[in-house]
């Protein structure tokens, strides 16, 4: 009977954790950074690990992190480093952006808006002007 009762406690606890978990997709626009063979990372205070982000096209990188529970406040940063450099966590801290971002973990899956690297806002659109020059002798 003890085995059955312990399983009945473990299973509901596991289901509660699943029920209150949410995936958060972080996105960063690297258009203003000189990237050649660089790797972009997400670093969060929830584990202080450099999570390699995926390239989504148009200079946008993304990473999805799972959180259990909602309402907790976390800080996070974006970073990048040369792909040929081993990213020992201590060395990579030199490449972390200057601003600190915060998120309150949501109760459902969420995709955060795209932000510009090292800026709290979206990157401005590139503006193009067509110009014709003519020279008169």
């Amino acid at each position: 009977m003890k085995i059955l009762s312990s399983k009945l406690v473990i299973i509901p606890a596991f289901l509660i954790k699943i029920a209150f978990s949410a995936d958060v997709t972080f996105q960063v626009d690297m258009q203003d950074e000189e990237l050649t063979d660089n790797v972009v990372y997400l670093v969060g205070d929830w584990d202080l690990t450099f999570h390699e982000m995926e390239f989504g096209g148009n200079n946008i990188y993304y990473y999805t992190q799972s959180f259990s529970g909602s309402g907790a406040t976390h800080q996070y940063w974006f970073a990048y480093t040369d792909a040929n450099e081993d990213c020992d966590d201590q060395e990579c801290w030199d490449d972390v952006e200057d601003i600190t971002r915060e998120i309150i973990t949501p109760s459902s899956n969420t995709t955060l808006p795209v932000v510009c690297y090292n800026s709290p806002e979206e990157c401005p659109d590139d503006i193009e002007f067509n110009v014709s020059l003519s020279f008169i002798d």
Side-chain angles (χ1 to χ4, degrees):
M1 191 64 156
K2 278 188 172 182
I3 295 172
L4 180 59
S5 65
S6 66
K7 286 183 181 178
L8 292 176
V9 170
I10 292 171
I11 292 172
F14 176 72
L15 293 176
I16 288 171
K17 186 174 181 179
I18 289 174
F20 292 108
S21 66
D23 291 339
V24 177
T25 300
F26 297 84
Q27 303 180 96
V28 63
D29 188 336
M30 301 297 285
Q31 79 177 21
D32 294 332
E33 303 303 313
E34 294 292 327
L35 299 177
T36 51
D37 291 331
N38 293 304
V39 180
V40 179
Y41 298 97
L42 171 71
V43 185
D45 69 357
W46 54 87
D47 64 1
L48 296 177
T49 299
F50 284 76
H51 299 280
E52 186 172 334
M53 300 182 78
E54 304 258 344
F55 179 66
N58 294 331
N59 299 309
I60 307 294
Y61 289 80
Y62 66 92
Y63 180 80
T64 301
Q65 175 70 38
S66 293
F67 293 96
S68 58
S70 63
T73 301
H74 292 287
Q75 294 181 333
Y76 67 97
W77 306 265
F78 296 108
Y80 70 94
T81 189
D82 189 308
N84 297 323
E85 178 183 318
D86 286 333
C87 189
D88 173 309
D89 284 349
Q90 192 63 32
E91 292 173 10
C92 289
W93 278 107
D94 295 336
D95 302 317
V96 174
E97 65 184 342
D98 296 329
I99 65 170
T100 300
R101 303 170 191 277
E102 282 192 351
I103 180 175
I104 298 173
T105 53
S107 57
S108 61
N109 296 344
T110 302
T111 298
L112 298 178
V114 177
V115 292
C116 200
Y117 181 81
N118 225 11
S119 169
E121 300 173 2
E122 190 175 328
C123 288
D125 290 333
D126 290 335
I127 299 173
E128 213 174 284
F129 294 101
N130 293 325
V131 177
S132 296
L133 295 176
S134 51
F135 296 96
I136 302 174
D137 269 340

